[in-house]
Amino acid sequence: MITPRKPEFKPQISPNCHASARQYSVAWLLLLAAVAAFFGVWSYTVPIQADDIAFQYFLPHFEERNSSLWGAFWEYSHWFWLDTNGRLANFVAPLATMYVPRWLFASLTGVATAWVMYAAIRLAQWRRTADPRFNFCALLMMMPVVLFLWPWRDYLLYPDYSLNYLYSTALNLIFLIVWLRALERWMPLWWLVWALPLTIVTGMMHEGLSLPMLGACGLVTILRRLRIPPAAWALGLVYLAGTLVVTLSPGILGRAAREHGGTSILVHGYYTLIYCTLLWALIITAMVLLWRRTSRRRMAALLRTPVFATAALNALAGAAICFIFDEATPRYGWLTQVFSTIALL
């Protein structure tokens, strides 16, 4: 006796569903373009500031003694590394204001801002296929948060500060995504050809972003008992090399020794409270979810994921920096606000 086979069930997908997804994808891309245009125009209208003018004053002195711009830039960078700090963002600041057309730098600033928001949303969907509806809704919700809670008011769109914070963050998010892909064996090996040079540049941009990222990735590596793929090791070690170049600068070591611990704990706590608002929102949200029995297990699993772990640790490190150093300004909360947004998403 032959038992007839049951017909396979094939769910019918409505054409309207595909159309809706396409509409959300188009809306998401248009919204990202609007973000890039808005911040590009904003950057274009902002004049250069005192630090930018100072860099423009320093570099020509070295150009007078060198026959090439490269020689002058190298000598200027070495002097700056010894005297002030080792941040690559500060080395290239005079080049950005003296040799890059203003419209081009403003356009790149807009693209970098849009990339930071794009990367935050993609990290929130790590290990999942991108949902166009989530992309659109998340970006729509992020825009007021980014505009009102990220510290743009603290000179963030001046060339020097945008290089130190905005561009550094954009590069760090590229590194984080590539490192996570290498960690989970999603990354083709040929990516190392461009990823390794970009990684050392990223590590050198700003120690205030590099050290927290290095610590977060290092802790994830330790929790995995150092058992991570060779590509992830290569990226991490190259990032470490770049971070050491900037952190071991005699200029920055001297500044770090004299810029903390001079005021009261209450003052430091006040600055941390008002400049790291999204971290408190993250902590309260996590406590509520851990208190609820239905979400406790899911939240515990989330805490162990490398994406959430690196985002949360960067946010906590940013708050620690804000707490430790004297005369904190709103931009001291930049790292915390950006990575708290990622963790909340």
Side-chain angles (χ1 to χ4, degrees):
M1 181 177 178
I2 300 175
T3 305
R5 294 180 60 186
K6 293 182 179 179
E8 294 182 6
F9 174 71
K10 295 182 179 179
Q12 298 296 317
I13 300 175
S14 170
N16 292 332
C17 182
H18 292 297
S20 176
R22 283 195 299 270
Q23 290 168 357
Y24 274 101
S25 295
V26 172
W28 142 259
L29 292 174
L30 289 174
L31 201 54
L32 271 179
V35 168
F38 174 81
F39 281 94
V41 171
W42 188 0
S43 175
Y44 186 79
T45 60
V46 170
I48 62 175
Q49 51 133 3
D51 284 5
D52 300 311
I53 295 171
F55 293 139
Q56 289 184 359
Y57 172 78
F58 295 140
L59 183 59
H61 289 283
F62 295 96
E63 289 182 295
E64 293 170 1
R65 304 204 302 249
N66 288 271
S67 57
S68 67
L69 176 61
W70 170 249
F73 174 72
W74 179 259
E75 191 176 341
Y76 153 77
S77 300
H78 184 248
W79 164 77
F80 201 87
W81 185 81
L82 291 171
D83 180 76
T84 307
N85 64 59
R87 298 167 188 166
L88 183 60
N90 284 347
F91 298 167
V92 302
L95 301 181
T97 54
M98 295 171 67
Y99 299 104
V100 177
R102 190 171 172 183
W103 65 267
L104 178 58
F105 185 80
S107 300
L108 292 174
T109 302
V111 170
T113 308
W115 159 254
V116 169
M117 296 175 72
Y118 170 87
I121 292 168
R122 289 302 295 122
L123 284 167
Q125 297 179 88
W126 195 253
R127 292 190 175 193
R128 296 181 182 179
T129 304
D131 184 342
R133 299 179 189 183
F134 176 84
N135 290 343
F136 177 76
C137 294
L139 184 56
L140 205 59
M141 290 188 297
M142 274 186 73
M143 288 176 69
V145 172
V146 168
L147 279 171
F148 295 107
L149 295 180
W150 292 12
W152 303 107
R153 64 192 182 279
D154 195 27
Y155 315 119
L156 259 295
L157 285 171
Y158 288 141
D160 173 44
Y161 286 152
S162 65
L163 285 165
N164 273 283
Y165 294 93
L166 180 57
Y167 285 77
S168 296
T169 302
L171 289 172
N172 268 284
L173 289 177
I174 294 174
F175 164 75
L176 179 59
I177 288 172
V178 173
W179 187 77
L180 288 170
R181 288 179 70 94
L183 188 70
E184 302 186 0
R185 303 181 190 276
W186 293 357
M187 191 188 78
L189 282 178
W190 66 265
W191 276 27
L192 292 176
V193 174
W194 63 265
L196 290 177
L198 191 65
T199 294
I200 195 165
V201 167
T202 303
M204 292 174 62
M205 283 294 285
H206 192 299
E207 81 287 344
L209 278 74
S210 301
L211 285 171
M213 180 64 74
L214 185 66
C217 294
L219 185 58
V220 169
T221 302
I222 291 170
L223 291 175
R224 295 197 172 200
R225 301 180 181 179
L226 308 182
R227 295 172 184 172
I228 64 174
W233 272 115
L235 288 164
L237 292 173
V238 169
Y239 190 87
L240 170 64
T243 304
L244 288 176
V245 170
V246 59
T247 307
L248 297 180
S249 154
I252 199 66
L253 290 174
R255 284 180 58 184
R258 64 178 181 267
E259 288 186 2
H260 66 86
T263 54
S264 73
I265 293 178
L266 291 176
V267 172
H268 287 231
Y270 170 74
Y271 286 137
T272 308
L273 184 67
I274 63 173
Y275 296 153
C276 302
T277 49
L278 289 171
L279 176 63
W280 313 127
L282 175 63
I283 291 172
I284 292 169
T285 303
M287 290 175 64
V288 169
L289 291 174
L290 287 171
W291 179 73
R292 293 181 60 194
R293 184 183 301 176
T294 54
S295 58
R296 194 177 300 157
R297 185 178 299 176
R298 190 174 299 175
M299 187 64 193
L302 178 65
L303 290 170
R304 292 193 295 269
T305 61
V307 176
F308 187 86
T310 50
L313 288 168
N314 271 286
L316 289 168
I321 291 170
C322 193
F323 181 77
I324 291 169
F325 288 94
D326 294 340
E327 299 179 6
T329 65
R331 67 179 179 275
Y332 276 53
W334 170 263
L335 181 68
T336 295
Q337 298 294 74
V338 171
F339 280 93
S340 294
T341 303
I342 294 172
L344 282 165
L345 280 174

